[in-house]
């Protein structure tokens, strides 16, 4: 698992305007928010947001997007509110985190009832900022990398199918198929 300093140094290597305090604060905030949670593979949950932030830093994205990667599950999986994220990290990051959360909520509601192409269009239409999609794609990539740790075979198949039908074509259209 990438430490806060390692993530900051990685981002500093391509972003000379980085404010390291923001990323440190987001890292620590996510660590505290997910403190009692575990992933299916039994590791502390924080490993997932850190891995998402690492993927985003591989893409050399801005610090607001990387902070969003660290915070992307706080609204959905913890007691953290939009107002708290906005107060601590500003409206830009709060809106990005909320956008990722909305896509996650859409997944569950519409996957069963719609064709993949309609879902892709809906996700694109509801994303006001392309960075929301980048965070969601990084989130899905990490989830796919750890898919074998999910013991429920039907859930694994559902996640893999969603990825192939929705997220892989979206990443391809965005030129991110690698």
């Amino acid at each position: 698992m990438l430490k806060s300093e390692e993530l900051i140094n990685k981002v500093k290597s391509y972003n000379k305007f980085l404010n390291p305090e923001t990323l440190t604060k987001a890292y620590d905030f996510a660590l505290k928010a997910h403190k009692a949670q575990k992933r299916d593979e039994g590791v502390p949950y924080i490993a997932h947001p850190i891995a998402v932030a690492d993927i985003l830093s591989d893409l050399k994205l801005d610090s607001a997007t990387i902070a969003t990667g660290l915070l992307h599950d706080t609204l959905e999986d913890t007691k953290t509110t939009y107002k708290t994220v906005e107060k601590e990290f500003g409206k830009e990051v709060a809106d990005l985190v909320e956008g990722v959360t909305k896509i996650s909520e859409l997944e569950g509601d519409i996957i069963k009832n719609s064709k993949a192409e309609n879902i892709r269009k809906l996700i694109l239409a509801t994303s006001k900022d392309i960075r929301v999609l980048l965070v969601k794609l990084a989130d899905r990539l990490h989830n796919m990398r750890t898919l074998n740790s999910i013991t429920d075979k039907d859930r694994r198949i559902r996640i893999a199918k969603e990825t192939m039908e929705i997220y892989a074509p979206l990443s391809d259209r965005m030129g991110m198929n690698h």
Side-chain angles (χ1 to χ4, degrees), residues 29-155:
F29 187 95
L31 187 63
K32 185 177 176 184
H34 295 293
K35 186 170 74 174
Q37 297 173 321
K38 296 262 189 221
R39 296 267 295 165
D40 286 333
E41 63 265 33
V43 300
Y45 193 87
I46 190 62
H48 172 64
I50 291 170
V52 170
D54 190 31
I55 291 166
L56 296 168
S57 67
D58 286 342
L59 297 170
K60 297 185 177 1
L61 295 173
D62 64 299
S63 39
T65 307
I66 295 167
T68 300
L70 289 166
L71 302 169
H72 79 275
D73 279 335
T74 56
L75 298 183
E76 186 178 2
D77 294 340
T78 74
K79 294 180 181 187
T80 304
T81 64
Y82 173 89
K83 287 280 187 208
T84 302
V85 175
E86 182 181 34
K87 179 180 168 215
E88 295 294 323
F89 301 97
K91 183 167 175 38
E92 178 185 22
V93 171
D95 286 348
L96 292 171
V97 172
E98 183 180 53
V100 176
T101 301
K102 284 182 180 178
I103 290 175
S104 297
E105 290 168 355
L106 280 175
E107 279 174 354
D109 293 342
I110 63 177
I111 295 292
K112 302 170 199 108
N113 306 323
S114 296
K115 292 182 180 174
E117 181 60 27
N118 294 336
I119 296 167
R120 286 193 297 271
K121 287 178 183 174
L122 183 60
I123 289 171
L124 286 169
T126 57
S127 275
K128 298 174 191 165
D129 190 321
I130 192 72
R131 295 175 296 175
V132 169
L133 289 174
L134 296 173
V135 174
K136 186 61 191 174
L137 289 171
D139 173 42
R140 183 49 67 118
L141 176 59
H142 183 255
N143 284 336
M144 288 301 294
R145 288 177 176 169
T146 58
L147 192 62
N148 283 336
S149 64
I150 297 173
T151 54
D152 181 347
K153 182 182 176 186
D154 291 335
R155 185 169 163 227

Side-chain angles (χ1 to χ4, degrees), residues 10-32:
K10 188 174 179 182
V11 177
K12 274 185 187 175
S13 73
Y14 67 84
N15 181 354
K16 62 184 174 196
F17 302 108
L18 172 71
N19 178 352
E21 290 79 27
T22 302
L23 282 186
T24 300
K25 186 177 180 180
Y27 189 102
D28 293 342
F29 187 95
L31 187 63
K32 185 177 176 184

